[in-house]
Structures are given as structure tokens and as C-alpha cells.
Amino acid sequence: MQHDDVIWDIIGNKQFCSFKVKTKSQNFCRNEYNITGLCNRSSCPLANSQYATIREEKGQCFLYMKVIERAAFPAKMWEKVKLSKNYEKALEQIDENLLYWPRFIRHKCKQRFTKITQYLIRMRKLVLKRQRKLVPLSRKVEQREKRKEEKALIAAQLDNAIEKELLERLKEGTYGDIYNFPVHAFDKALQQQDEESESESEEEEEEDDEDVGKREFVAEEEVEESDLSDFEDMNKLRTSSDEEEEEDEEELSEEDEEEEMEVETKASRSKGKSPANGAAARKKRAYVEIEYEQETEPASKSRATS
Amino acid sequence: MDITEVPVSQDNRGKKKKNKKPKKKKSVAEEGDGGGGGGAEKKEEKMEKSEAASAFPPTFSVSEIKNKQRRHLMFMKLKQEKRKQKMQLRKKKKKEREALGDKAPPKEVPKTIENQRVYDETTVDPEDEEVAFDEGTDEFSAYFNGLTNPKVLITTSDRPRGRTVRFCEQLATVIPNAHVYYRRGLALKRIIPQCVARNFTYLMVINEDRKVPNGMVLCHLPDGPTAHFKVSSVRLRKEIKRRGKDPTEHSPEVILNNFTTRLGHSIGRLFAALFPQDPQFVGRQVATFHNQRDFIFFRFHRYIFKNEKKVGIQELGPRFTLKLRSLQKGTFDSKFGEYEWVLKRHEMDACRRKFQL
């Protein structure tokens, strides 16, 4: 026969209950039919012959009821009632099914049902929002990649590559007339290179020869001033080593000061490096006209250097 | 006593060949005393073998010796021998080269991974017409024909931490016409139409994990390709040694190195379209994307030409490394997008000398 008190006396306090989980302050009940989740005299499904719960399966809520008449048939002990999806209607159903049941069980059933519907709603909302996909990292692979990256960095020799590329662009004339270096030095540099640049230097020399005979009335200084006005900061930078550059600087500094007053001066750049050669060696400008029609800067930019 | 004595003498024998003979006699005597049996015989054999090994070219490898200490010693000896031979060989070669002078054969080029790279059939030939045609009509053609100006929107994943935020800010100074916006939990698919409406050309999303940026999604906007990268080794401006002052507002130049294959080409164009078409050479700033073994290194420098043969560069802004994870054809759509290329680790990591970009 079903003696609830005896059962509770045994499993509640004195002896072992396999569903009980003890913590410092609370006792929990792991039985899946438990309505509150705590281990109490009134919440224990084993120690109450008349008991009801709400359980949820795949988004559907069911009301489970147990009565003493069926205590002898364990297979048919729990009666399962499907609750409506409508919240109010479901509450009415609970009331209707648990009519005349103890107030505690009715109350707790409704509370549990409310909580379950709330978390189901939340689940449905979260699915619609952005899902965060967690991608597991394999430590071995990550370490391998890190090592490969280090080796690749060493192999890349970035600074050299960048400098080489910049010098190539300078030689090809993508910078136009901004940088002007003394011709003889330029020629020397070219002659040291291979065939292409040899032909270039030949052209240069030809041009030089042509120009030697001509008389040009080139207002050099004015031209330089107009160029300088674009590069307001170049004036601030002082040369370090070359004598030529210093001389030129002295010449140009007077003109530059005027320009400086007009133009907004930005913060001085590249403190640590030697100054722009805009300040240097402008005098040879007249007859170094290497006209390579490099009009498409985008082309040079987008070309993928291999 | 025998047990303690024997190993020591054997070790010595291993090390010094000179004392071989007297020690051998001694050992035989000892072993005779130590008592017969299989153990002693085995030891004899081993000792003889090892002696033979040290005397004559080894007929067996060092790994056959069971005793760890002895094996270690034999191995060290072997290594020393090899090193000595190598040094001798090198000296000889050097002498020969000097003797020959100009007629010496050219120095052998050492094998590097770049030298040994497996030839990729998608390598772009500079004069390839098909590639040129493709590039004339792909999503970047508008940019390369000068019709659109780049406008970049930089954002992060949810709730970015300080490092990521600073990284985004620094990126915004590096890329002209870039705007940083906070994500605030918005879905990318909803942001994209808004960006298109406001004429943005690029959407860059920095993904963060554990307070550190580790991923980047670069989406070309009207309906362009979306590239997903893994970001590593991020160095913010203050962590860079010997750096220059902050970058100015001038548009930098762009250097793209080593993008050889078709895939590399399209990625290169993706990067190039981030920056305005006409760089301001006044600024003397250059942004470099250098591809080496499928890692893309980004650097931002200020350069200055000391003379026509030397240029000095000074690193400014942030630096980071990218590795391409996937390239998708349309705008960002991870579920239904059409992927042009996806990193498949098992296939692609199998060969050390095969690279994709």
C-alpha cells in the first residue's frame, strides 16, 4: 500500500534517495517529474501519491498527473494532457484538470508552465537573431601557422623589398618631377644597372648633348618656387651631409620663407631621417627631362609585382 | 664491482680510440672474471661492435645501441666527425675558388621554399589577355577606371575591447576616407544595404576574440567579393619601435608584392581598391601589402629619398598579418554565398611548397 509519510520518512531524511542532490544550503531533487526541483515533503513525486507536473517536449507543453488509484500500475501511472499553445487557454486547461486538487500543486503547476513558455519564446527569438558560430581551433594547427608566419616574415625581408620597389618607381618616373637628383650621379646609378637602364642613360646623354648647344632662358628659380609651394614641409627639413644640398638650401631658404608664411605649416615630419631632396640640387633641373609618359599612376599601383 | 666498473671503461672506450687496445684486453679480462653466461658474451659482442664501429666505417647505425648514454656519446662523436668533414670540404672549395679566380664556377644558389615552389598553373602571365579582359570587367573595374572613390566603413564584432577599438582607429587614419562605427549588435546583412545607400565602397569588419583582433571580413560593396582573413601579429602604433610621427591626411601609395596567381591577383585588386586612385606623393607615405608564402604582411611607412640610390623608410602606423581564409563572390552571406575559394587545411597544408596566392 502507498504510505506517503512512511516513504518520505525513509527517503527524505533518514536513508538514501537517488534523486537527491545535496548542497550546502539546499537539497535538490533530480527527478524529472518534480515540479519545483527542490527536495521537499510537498514536492517529492515519490512521496506524494497525488501529484501533477508540467513538462515540455520539443516546444509542446504537457500536464502530467498522478493519482493514488493508479499507484499499483506503474506503467500507466502518469496521465498526460496536451496543453494548448495559447497561454490563457492552457492556464484554463490546467485549472480544469486540477480542479479540487491542493492549492499548492495548482499554483506550482501554473508557475512552472509560465516559466517554460517564457523560455520557449526566448529560444525562438534567439534563433532569428544573429547566430554566433563557434569555430574550434586546433592548437597544433595554430602553432604550425604561427611558426610558418615567422619564417615567412624572415623570408620576406620587407624593408628591402619596399625600398627596392620605391627605388624602381623613382627610376621609372612615377614621381614625376618631384625628386631631382644631380644628373651625373643619376647616370652613374643607371649605368650600373642592366640593359634597359643603359639605353635610358644613352637617351639622357643625347638629350644633354642637345641641350648643351641650346640657349635656354628658363626662369629656374620661379619654377622652383612654384614647385616648392606645394611642398610646404620640405623646407623645414635640414640636410645632414651633402655640401651641395646645403648650398642650395641657402639659396632657396630666402624664397622659402616667404612661401612658408603664406602656407599653413603642418607638424614637421620624419624627424629622424634626412630631409627631402626637394631642398637639394634643383639647379640641374633644366636639362634632365626624361620624358617617359607614365601617366597612369593607377596602372603602376595596380600592377602586381611578382 | 664488475657491474660498476664495466660501463665506465666501455664509455671511455667509446670516447677515445687511442686507448682501445689496452682497454680491450682489460675488458676481456674483466668479463672473463665477471662470469660467463649470455650476458657477458652479449656485452663482449656489443663492445666489439662498437669498437668496430669506431674503428671502421659503421656497418650499423648509432640507434642500435641500447644503452642511452653510450648511444648518446656515439652520436655526438658522429656529429663531430661530420662537422669536421664538412668544414674541411668547405675550406677546400674556398681555396679552389680563390685559386681559380674569375674562372671559378658560380656559387650555387641555396634552395629556398620560394625557389622550390610548386608551379601553380593559375599564375598570371603579365600579358595574358584573358586576365586583362576579366579585370576590365570585374567588380573593381569601376574603381580602376576612376569612376568611384573608395569610402570605407570599419566596424567590429560585438562589444569590442580596447585593443580592437584602437586598432580600428589606427586603421582609419591609415586608410583615407574611412569611418569607424560601432556595431551595437546589428546584423551585417542589414548594414550592407544601408552602406550601399550611403555610397560606401568597402565594409571592413574586424572580428575579435579574447580581447584581441583575430579576423577580418573585407567586403566590397556594390556587390563585390567578400574576403575573410585571419589576422595575426597586430602591432599598434605605440608598440612599434623606432616609429615616426602619426600619418598625415595624404593619400598613401600602395605597393602590392608577390600576388602572382589568379587568386592573388583578385586579392591584390581588392586591396588596391581600398585606397584612392591618385596618391599624393607629397605625403611620402606608402602602404605595403606583401605576400609571402600565403601570408600577407601589411606595413605602413614614410619614405624619403636620400639620393637616387638610397631610400630611407620609417615605419608609422599599425602592422598586421593576414591569411586568406575564404573568398566569396557576392556580399557577405555565409549561408547561401557562393564561395570562390575556401581554405581547406588538409588539402592545402599537405605540401610545403605549394601556395595559393
Side-chain angles (χ1 to χ4, degrees), chain B residues 31-160:
Chain B
E31 297 238 310
D33 293 343
E41 285 174 4
K42 273 190 202 159
K43 276 189 206 164
E44 273 186 41
E45 284 176 8
K46 273 195 197 142
M47 285 191 299
E48 286 178 6
K49 261 194 184 173
S50 60
E51 283 178 23
S54 51
F56 306 104
T59 51
F60 74 110
S61 68
V62 182
S63 55
E64 277 181 27
I65 305 178
K66 300 292 184 181
N67 184 332
K68 185 169 178 175
Q69 280 183 334
R70 235 183 303 160
R71 187 172 63 231
H72 181 63
L73 286 164
M74 288 302 291
F75 183 67
M76 300 297 271
K77 237 169 39 88
L78 192 72
K79 277 287 196 188
Q80 281 170 9
E81 283 292 316
K82 277 195 179 167
R83 223 178 295 156
K84 217 195 268 180
Q85 284 176 6
K86 192 172 166 190
M87 285 301 291
Q88 285 173 354
L89 196 67
R90 279 179 76 181
K91 276 190 183 163
K92 209 167 53 164
K93 272 196 177 166
K94 194 169 172 191
K95 275 191 185 158
E96 281 176 12
R97 170 166 287 124
E98 281 173 11
L100 284 181
D102 275 337
K103 288 183 280 178
K107 270 196 178 174
E108 290 143 32
V109 180
K111 285 193 219 171
T112 62
I113 293 186
E114 283 79 25
N115 287 348
Q116 308 296 100
R117 179 176 174 172
V118 167
Y119 175 70
D120 197 348
E121 58 264 354
T122 59
T123 309
V124 171
D125 196 19
E127 283 97 36
D128 200 344
E129 291 168 355
E130 188 192 332
V131 173
F133 175 72
D134 273 344
E135 292 184 357
T137 53
D138 73 353
E139 295 110 347
F140 299 108
S141 53
Y143 166 77
F144 284 111
N145 294 335
L147 295 171
T148 54
N149 272 337
K151 191 171 172 200
V152 183
L153 176 71
I154 303 182
T155 181
T156 64
S157 54
D158 281 339
R159 299 186 169 268

Side-chain angles (χ1 to χ4, degrees), chain B residues 10-274:
Chain B
Q10 284 176 349
D11 279 351
N12 289 340
R13 204 178 316 115
K15 273 186 197 166
K16 305 170 195 166
K17 287 189 212 168
K18 293 179 213 168
N19 307 333
K20 194 180 48 164
K21 281 183 190 165
K23 291 245 167 132
K24 193 174 177 182
K25 283 185 195 164
K26 223 212 279 182
S27 69
V28 169
E30 281 179 4
E31 297 238 310
D33 293 343
E41 285 174 4
K42 273 190 202 159
K43 276 189 206 164
E44 273 186 41
E45 284 176 8
K46 273 195 197 142
M47 285 191 299
E48 286 178 6
K49 261 194 184 173
S50 60
E51 283 178 23
S54 51
F56 306 104
T59 51
F60 74 110
S61 68
V62 182
S63 55
E64 277 181 27
I65 305 178
K66 300 292 184 181
N67 184 332
K68 185 169 178 175
Q69 280 183 334
R70 235 183 303 160
R71 187 172 63 231
H72 181 63
L73 286 164
M74 288 302 291
F75 183 67
M76 300 297 271
K77 237 169 39 88
L78 192 72
K79 277 287 196 188
Q80 281 170 9
E81 283 292 316
K82 277 195 179 167
R83 223 178 295 156
K84 217 195 268 180
Q85 284 176 6
K86 192 172 166 190
M87 285 301 291
Q88 285 173 354
L89 196 67
R90 279 179 76 181
K91 276 190 183 163
K92 209 167 53 164
K93 272 196 177 166
K94 194 169 172 191
K95 275 191 185 158
E96 281 176 12
R97 170 166 287 124
E98 281 173 11
L100 284 181
D102 275 337
K103 288 183 280 178
K107 270 196 178 174
E108 290 143 32
V109 180
K111 285 193 219 171
T112 62
I113 293 186
E114 283 79 25
N115 287 348
Q116 308 296 100
R117 179 176 174 172
V118 167
Y119 175 70
D120 197 348
E121 58 264 354
T122 59
T123 309
V124 171
D125 196 19
E127 283 97 36
D128 200 344
E129 291 168 355
E130 188 192 332
V131 173
F133 175 72
D134 273 344
E135 292 184 357
T137 53
D138 73 353
E139 295 110 347
F140 299 108
S141 53
Y143 166 77
F144 284 111
N145 294 335
L147 295 171
T148 54
N149 272 337
K151 191 171 172 200
V152 183
L153 176 71
I154 303 182
T155 181
T156 64
S157 54
D158 281 339
R159 299 186 169 268
R161 312 293 296 195
R163 208 179 149 84
T164 315
V165 169
R166 269 175 278 148
F167 180 55
C168 288
E169 287 168 19
Q170 291 183 5
L171 266 184
T173 56
V174 162
I175 304 175
N177 207 359
H179 306 270
V180 181
Y181 282 104
Y182 282 125
R183 184 76 173 272
R184 275 143 129 258
L186 301 169
L188 277 184
K189 288 194 203 160
R190 296 220 189 99
I191 301 183
I192 286 178
Q194 292 185 20
C195 287
V196 176
R198 284 167 218 214
N199 280 330
F200 277 97
T201 55
Y202 263 101
L203 174 67
M204 192 191 285
V205 183
I206 311 281
N207 189 55
E208 185 199 6
D209 179 45
R210 294 214 201 134
K211 308 182 193 173
V212 141
N214 75 342
M216 170 154 96
V217 173
L218 192 57
C219 183
H220 183 81
L221 271 183
D223 36 289
T226 309
H228 176 43
F229 297 97
K230 175 172 94 149
V231 169
S232 45
S233 318
V234 173
R235 300 273 173 272
L236 298 177
R237 225 168 254 149
K238 62 181 181 179
E239 294 159 11
I240 296 181
K241 302 181 183 166
R242 286 187 284 275
R243 67 178 169 98
K245 298 219 162 159
D246 289 339
T248 57
E249 295 290 321
H250 297 109
S251 317
E253 298 173 44
V254 179
I255 292 183
L256 299 163
N257 273 343
N258 272 345
F259 288 96
T260 49
T261 63
R262 281 302 290 269
L263 180 67
H265 232 68
S266 36
I267 299 287
R269 284 160 71 78
L270 193 77
F271 288 132
L274 268 175

Side-chain angles (χ1 to χ4, degrees), chain A residues 235-248:
Chain A
N235 311 322
K236 283 202 172 183
L237 308 165
R238 294 284 165 259
T239 54
S240 55
S241 53
D242 293 353
E243 292 180 356
E244 289 179 13
E245 292 169 351
E246 281 175 10
E247 286 176 7
D248 287 340

Side-chain angles (χ1 to χ4, degrees), chain A residues 137-169:
Chain A
L137 296 176
S138 155
R139 189 178 323 186
K140 229 204 268 183
V141 174
E142 295 304 309
Q143 292 290 83
R144 219 190 293 157
E145 297 250 310
K146 205 167 119 194
R147 179 167 300 145
K148 280 195 184 163
E149 185 190 323
E150 285 166 11
K151 299 263 169 96
L153 183 62
I154 295 172
Q157 296 181 344
L158 283 169
D159 291 340
N160 291 348
I162 297 176
E163 288 173 7
K164 216 169 66 167
E165 175 68 23
L166 288 170
L167 285 171
E168 265 185 44
R169 287 192 183 178

Side-chain angles (χ1 to χ4, degrees), chain A residues 130 149 169 274 277 298 301 305, chain B residues 233 256-258 276 304-305:
Chain A
R130 306 155 47 212
E149 185 190 323
R169 287 192 183 178
S274 52
N277 286 310
K301 237 184 2 151
T305 57
Chain B
S233 318
L256 299 163
N257 273 343
N258 272 345
I304 184 162
F305 286 106

Side-chain angles (χ1 to χ4, degrees), chain A residues 9-257:
Chain A
D9 204 33
I10 296 174
I11 64 175
N13 297 318
K14 294 199 184 138
Q15 293 196 25
F16 179 73
C17 171
S18 66
F19 298 108
K20 186 193 273 198
V21 173
K22 276 171 124 173
T23 47
K24 267 196 214 152
S25 49
Q26 272 277 24
N27 285 343
F28 292 103
C29 181
R30 271 187 19 217
N31 193 323
E32 55 223 14
Y33 288 98
N34 189 313
I35 195 159
T36 53
L38 309 172
C39 188
N40 284 327
R41 172 68 185 86
S42 44
S43 316
C44 186
L46 307 173
N48 288 304
S49 42
Q50 192 184 44
Y51 199 75
T53 337
I54 307 281
R55 279 178 77 190
E56 173 258 331
E57 250 175 68
K58 289 191 204 144
Q60 266 283 38
C61 295
F62 297 94
L63 170 66
Y64 285 75
M65 289 179 288
K66 164 173 119 159
V67 293
I68 194 164
E69 284 83 22
R70 294 197 300 271
F73 311 105
K76 296 183 217 154
M77 204 152 61
W78 290 98
E79 180 188 342
K80 184 169 160 178
V81 174
K82 182 163 164 178
L83 294 174
S84 131
K85 298 247 175 159
N86 185 343
Y87 181 69
E88 281 92 22
K89 280 211 190 121
L91 285 181
E92 283 173 13
Q93 267 180 304
I94 294 177
D95 263 336
E96 169 199 328
N97 275 306
L98 297 182
L99 196 61
Y100 307 128
W101 280 54
R103 150 171 28 115
F104 175 78
I105 294 206
R106 254 186 293 149
H107 182 60
K108 287 298 177 187
C109 271
K110 285 189 217 163
Q111 271 191 339
R112 194 179 166 94
F113 176 69
T114 311
K115 188 125 270 173
I116 288 180
T117 45
Q118 282 175 349
Y119 82 58
L120 285 175
I121 290 172
R122 200 141 169 259
M123 273 169 65
R124 273 176 263 153
K125 249 196 239 173
L126 281 178
V127 169
L128 293 175
K129 276 197 181 171
R130 306 155 47 212
Q131 308 268 29
R132 181 162 293 207
K133 190 164 120 176
L134 294 176
V135 176
L137 296 176
S138 155
R139 189 178 323 186
K140 229 204 268 183
V141 174
E142 295 304 309
Q143 292 290 83
R144 219 190 293 157
E145 297 250 310
K146 205 167 119 194
R147 179 167 300 145
K148 280 195 184 163
E149 185 190 323
E150 285 166 11
K151 299 263 169 96
L153 183 62
I154 295 172
Q157 296 181 344
L158 283 169
D159 291 340
N160 291 348
I162 297 176
E163 288 173 7
K164 216 169 66 167
E165 175 68 23
L166 288 170
L167 285 171
E168 265 185 44
R169 287 192 183 178
L170 180 67
K171 289 212 171 60
E172 290 193 5
T174 41
Y175 300 130
D177 297 329
I178 306 176
Y179 303 105
N180 299 292
F181 298 111
V183 177
H184 56 271
F186 199 38
D187 278 347
K188 264 194 213 164
L190 290 177
Q191 278 165 18
Q192 284 167 13
Q193 302 254 328
D194 32 277
E195 298 173 6
E196 289 177 348
S197 36
E198 278 180 10
S199 61
E200 287 175 5
S201 66
E202 284 175 10
E203 289 181 28
E204 276 184 23
E205 287 166 3
E206 288 174 10
E207 290 184 15
D208 290 349
D209 290 339
E210 288 175 5
D211 288 339
V212 163
K214 275 189 196 166
R215 275 160 214 219
E216 288 196 16
F217 302 99
V218 177
E220 268 189 63
E221 295 181 354
E222 290 176 13
V223 174
E224 290 169 355
E225 277 182 24
S226 65
D227 281 343
L228 280 176
S229 67
D230 296 334
F231 317 126
E232 56 269 13
D233 285 343
M234 294 206 170
N235 311 322
K236 283 202 172 183
L237 308 165
R238 294 284 165 259
T239 54
S240 55
S241 53
D242 293 353
E243 292 180 356
E244 289 179 13
E245 292 169 351
E246 281 175 10
E247 286 176 7
D248 287 340
E249 246 199 281
E250 289 170 7
E251 285 177 14
L252 301 169
S253 58
E254 300 164 0
E255 306 155 0
D256 299 346
E257 277 163 21

